[in-house]
Amino acid sequence: KKIGNAIDEPELHPHSFRKAGATQRKNAGMSLEDISFFLNHLSTDVTKLYVKEDTNKRGSMFRNIKI
């Protein structure tokens, strides 16, 4: 929190980096199970709370579907 306050980001904390890393790994194609192992989580349910879904990726996926 000291660093967050120093750079005018008071909400910044160590788990911010864990969550960002988990999201980056998921967006790079790593499986949820592997991310869970990497973060030392006992369950992927916990890991799902860490990973933010890339809504842009989902949108482009649906746009590319030809019916």
Side-chain angles (χ1 to χ4, degrees):
K1 287 194 170 197
K2 289 179 185 179
I3 293 172
N5 289 329
I7 62 171
D8 203 28
E9 292 290 338
E11 299 298 316
L12 186 68
H13 53 83
H15 270 82
S16 300
F17 296 107
R18 285 177 59 87
K19 290 177 180 183
T23 299
Q24 288 176 338
R25 285 172 175 79
K26 182 66 176 164
N27 290 340
M30 186 180 274
S31 73
L32 195 61
E33 291 80 11
D34 287 341
I35 297 167
S36 186
F37 177 79
F38 180 77
L39 295 175
N40 200 31
H41 290 161
L42 296 176
S43 166
T44 56
D45 291 336
V46 176
T47 308
K48 288 176 187 176
L49 300 173
Y50 276 65
V51 176
K52 289 187 179 179
E53 187 173 347
D54 185 355
T55 55
N56 291 329
K57 189 174 182 180
R58 184 193 307 164
S60 66
M61 184 173 57
F62 284 116
R63 282 191 294 278
N64 290 329
I65 294 174
K66 305 287 188 232
I67 298 178

